[in-house]
Amino acid sequence: MTRTILVTGGAGFIGSNFVHLLAKERPDWRIVNLDALTYAGNLENLTEIEGRSGYTFVHGNICKEEDVERAFDACEGDVTVVHFAAESHVDRSIVSGMPFVEANVAGTQVLLDVSRKRGVERFCHVSTDEVYGSLGAEGYFTEDTPLAPNSPYAATKTASDLLVRAAVHTHGFPAVITRCSNNYGPYQFPEKLIPLMIANASEDRELPVYGDGMNVRDWLFVEDHCLAILRVLEAGREGEVYNIGGHNEYPNIEIVRLILETLGKPESLIRFVKDRPGHDQRYAIDASKIQRELGWEPSYTFDQALPLTIQWYQSNADWLQRVRSGAYREYYQRQYGAEGSRST
Ligand code: NAD
Ligand code: DAU
């Protein structure tokens, strides 16, 4: 039986890494990528996949039922949905929350409705540890930690998790939810901490560190996150939540210093700036459930994957420059014109 993975948000950071991983690890699966190509969607992340047989890009918005229907029309055989599409940047949600409500809440409900109508094998909702709020100096988020989102972004992700939960409970919908900590790696939009600091340091620009730089995040290499999602797709239990994380906690300032050291740049580039409003102090994931039930654990340590990531941005200076200048947005027009989707 043919199998199609319908990926939403596959032109973004984690989504494009996931498409690359699928093409390598499950070459016989068809892939349909539904993406609205917001500022965060970049088809240049997928140039190596374009010509691959069994890959279809559908330009569309998860908030529009007709766009989601079009993506399902492009699928063949059993369909599994992996839902990455979202507005993902906390700082943007502080400036303006409505786009987050539309994409993350309304968009998820539209996707759930169409997926239920069409009938899917499985629906994996890619969520975040930010739904749990913030930790003090001790302790970890488990799947049972109460939901207590603090930013507008986190609140909309929490709402989407609850909509997925309700679909499971009310309709017996075959969904699973994953909640991962901070990712880093290739193709991350340079508004997020690690790629922003690499990009600025490379150009000898100032590195803006919020507050005292002592907020802690639990970093995971994006390939490890993608492997965990694949594992959940294939072996996770319906209706369950799986936390994903690498026991890899660092205060922001240490990461910034490591990046400067690796690039041979001076610490005088660091600028402590006004703190993010409502800034969560610490995230740390207890990933023992996915390890115990599904045998997943990270393959990369930070010591291995941070230098790999820095090297990737150095060897892909063109990609970075095109993202920073906005030139990447011309790619769609050149590649797809007015057509809106393309199969190979
Ligand atoms: P991203 O911002 O890099 O990419 C988001 C993608 O979704 C883009 O390609 C964008 O064009 C697309 N998109 C946005 N709104 C859409 C809409 N209405 N319809 C169709 N496509 C739309 O995000 P990311 O960092 O790759 O995160 C992907 C998912 O993983 C998100 O759901 C995020 O909440 C979650 N997550 C991210 C992290 C992280 O560290 N980046 C960690 C845990 C969970
Ligand atoms: O924990 C998972 C979440 O991680 C995901 O759900 C989000 O989609 C993703 O954006 C990320 O959220 P954060 O807010 O933790 O990531 P960000 O890279 O924006 O910030 C990481 C830390 O660095 C945070 O403490 C704020 C700080 N920071 C960030 C930026 C952009 C700075 O000090 N300076 C900066 O310029």
Side-chain angles (χ1 to χ4, degrees), residues 46 296 335:
L46 294 168
W296 174 89
Q335 191 75 356

Side-chain angles (χ1 to χ4, degrees), residues 46-205:
L46 294 168
T47 42
E48 290 154 39
I49 304 287
E50 294 285 353
R52 182 185 178 272
S53 126
Y55 171 75
T56 304
F57 172 68
V58 176
H59 186 201
N61 191 327
I62 53 165
C63 300
K64 293 188 182 155
E65 198 179 320
E66 62 274 23
D67 288 3
V68 180
E69 295 275 8
R70 224 160 19 91
F72 269 95
D73 289 342
C75 297
E76 281 176 34
D78 290 340
V79 180
T80 295
V81 177
V82 187
H83 179 31
F84 293 99
E87 286 294 334
S88 70
H89 194 46
V90 172
D91 292 327
R92 287 180 191 254
S93 79
I94 293 168
V95 174
S96 172
M98 209 52 204
F100 288 71
V101 174
E102 283 159 5
N104 302 0
V105 186
T108 298
Q109 187 60 55
V110 171
L111 189 67
L112 284 169
D113 289 344
V114 178
S115 300
R116 193 159 58 81
K117 189 179 86 186
R118 292 288 193 128
V120 294
E121 278 290 293
R122 172 149 287 194
F123 184 106
C124 177
H125 177 61
V126 180
S127 191
T128 167
D129 59 359
E130 295 201 14
V131 300
Y132 300 122
S134 183
L135 292 165
E138 303 286 318
Y140 295 92
F141 296 133
T142 72
E143 289 80 0
D144 297 324
T145 300
L147 302 177
N150 288 320
S151 71
Y153 160 72
T156 60
K157 289 299 289 188
T158 308
S160 66
D161 285 20
L162 294 179
L163 292 173
V164 174
R165 181 181 182 276
V168 171
H169 185 81
T170 308
H171 302 292
F173 186 69
V176 282
I177 296 175
T178 59
R179 294 186 180 139
C180 188
S181 59
N182 287 63
N183 284 214
Y184 65 102
Y187 303 116
Q188 187 166 30
F189 198 84
E191 63 185 352
K192 307 276 171 25
L193 181 76
I194 289 183
L196 178 71
M197 298 298 155
I198 298 171
N200 282 11
S202 306
E203 294 173 9
D204 297 306
R205 293 209 228 163

